Amino acid sequence: MKIIDFRLRPPFKDFLNEDMHLFRADDPFVTRFFKQNGFPIPESLKQQSMDLCLKEMEEVNIELAVCGARLGVSNDTLTELGEKYPQFKCVATYDVMNTEEGLNIIDKYIANGPLIGMAVETLLYDITYADDRIFPIYERMQELGKFVTLTTGAGGNTLELTKPEYIDKVARTFPNLNIIISHAGWPWVEQACWIAASRPNVYLMPDLYLCNAPGHQSFLSAVNYQLQDKVIYGSAYPYNNMVYAAKFALKYVRPEVQQKFMYDNAARILGLK
C-alpha cells in the first residue's frame, strides 16, 4: 500500500541544528522519549542520514511526505528540500506574533512559490489559535484554497490554551479553510473528535499519539469507524520511528479503511484525488 506521511521532518540542513533537538540520538531527552513510548530509535536518526531516511521511507512505501517546521527552520530550506527531493511537499512556517511577516511569507512562498500550506503554531506563546492576530493568515489561506496545520496539546505551556474549542471557533469563522489538527488535539481527544465530526473543514492527524499514548484507543476508534474520512496519517518522524509507526497503523487499522487513512484522505486535501 502506498502511504502519504503528513508529518515527517527529515535530517536535512536546518533540521540538524542542535537547537532543534530533533536528530540527537545521544541527547538524554531523545533516548528517554523513545524508551518511554516504546519506539525503536531509527538508524537514520542515529546517523543523521538523509539517505537512510529515504530508505526507511521506501521500506514502508511512503510515496509522499509532507514536511512542516517550527521556527528555526527557514522557508528557504523547506523550498530547497522540495526541489531536491520531489517526494517531499513542504509547508511554510512563520512567527505567529508577526502577522505582516506571515502575510509576506504566504505571498512569497505559497501564492507565488512551491510551498503548499502554512504551519501555524502558538505553543511558544500564551495565545490561542483564535487570537485576532492570526485571523488575517486564516483569511488569506482561505482565499488561496490552501490548508493550515495547527498543533495542539503536547508542548504547550498552559493546558487551558490548548483546548480544541479555540480551533472550533476558527473552523466556524473560516468554513472554507481546511484545518489539520496536528497531534489531533491530544490530550483533548474526544473533544477534538467532536470538532472533526461537526466541522466539514477540520481533519485530525494523531501522528505521534496514535502509537501507545494515553487516549490512542479513541483515535483508533475514530479512524476505524465514525471519522474514517476525517483522519490523516502522519508518523511524526523523527519523534517516532517511521517504520514502526506505519506497521503499527497497518496492524490496528481495519483493512477496509487503511486506504483512506494512509493515503486517500491526505490525497484529497492535497488535490491529488
Side-chain angles (χ1 to χ4, degrees), residues 17 32 51 56 75 80 132 144 167 232 240 245 259 268:
N17 187 318
R32 182 175 67 253
D51 287 341
E56 290 166 5
N75 290 301
E80 185 180 349
D132 289 344
L144 292 172
I167 294 178
I232 296 170
N240 196 349
Q259 180 70 28
R268 191 167 62 251

Side-chain angles (χ1 to χ4, degrees), residues 248-264:
F248 183 98
L250 291 171
K251 180 178 180 179
Y252 291 106
V253 174
R254 293 190 299 149
E256 55 265 43
V257 296
Q258 288 177 2
Q259 180 70 28
K260 290 182 178 181
F261 176 52
M262 308 293 282
Y263 193 93
D264 289 352

Side-chain angles (χ1 to χ4, degrees), residues 126-197:
D126 289 331
I127 64 173
T128 74
Y129 284 110
D131 190 282
D132 289 344
R133 283 166 288 195
I134 310 176
F135 274 44
I137 303 297
Y138 299 140
E139 184 175 14
R140 181 66 174 130
M141 294 297 286
Q142 180 175 252
E143 290 172 356
L144 292 172
K146 302 293 185 178
F147 67 86
V148 297
T149 62
L150 311 181
T151 302
T152 61
N157 293 323
T158 305
L159 186 63
E160 180 75 19
L161 298 178
T162 68
K163 288 183 176 180
E165 63 195 55
Y166 298 112
I167 294 178
D168 185 50
K169 179 180 179 181
V170 175
R172 288 184 280 112
T173 306
F174 302 96
N176 296 315
L177 173 67
N178 279 333
I179 298 169
I180 300 165
I181 307 180
S182 299
H183 301 338
W186 190 92
W188 309 97
V189 178
E190 276 74 22
Q191 293 91 331
C193 287
W194 182 91
I195 295 172

Side-chain angles (χ1 to χ4, degrees), residues 47 103 117 127 206 229:
Q47 298 190 34
L103 292 172
I127 64 173
D229 296 312

Side-chain angles (χ1 to χ4, degrees), residues 182-248:
S182 299
H183 301 338
W186 190 92
W188 309 97
V189 178
E190 276 74 22
Q191 293 91 331
C193 287
W194 182 91
I195 295 172
S198 303
R199 312 299 174 209
N201 57 326
V202 174
Y203 296 80
L204 302 181
M205 180 167 55
D207 50 74
L208 180 67
Y209 297 94
L210 186 72
C211 302
N212 305 333
H216 79 278
Q217 297 91 343
S218 293
F219 286 139
L220 286 171
S221 178
V223 171
N224 278 315
Y225 295 100
Q226 187 179 20
L227 296 179
Q228 60 186 264
D229 296 312
K230 300 296 296 293
V231 188
I232 296 170
Y233 174 75
S235 67
Y237 174 92
Y239 282 115
N240 196 349
N241 182 309
M242 73 177 83
V243 175
Y244 176 90
K247 291 181 178 179
F248 183 98

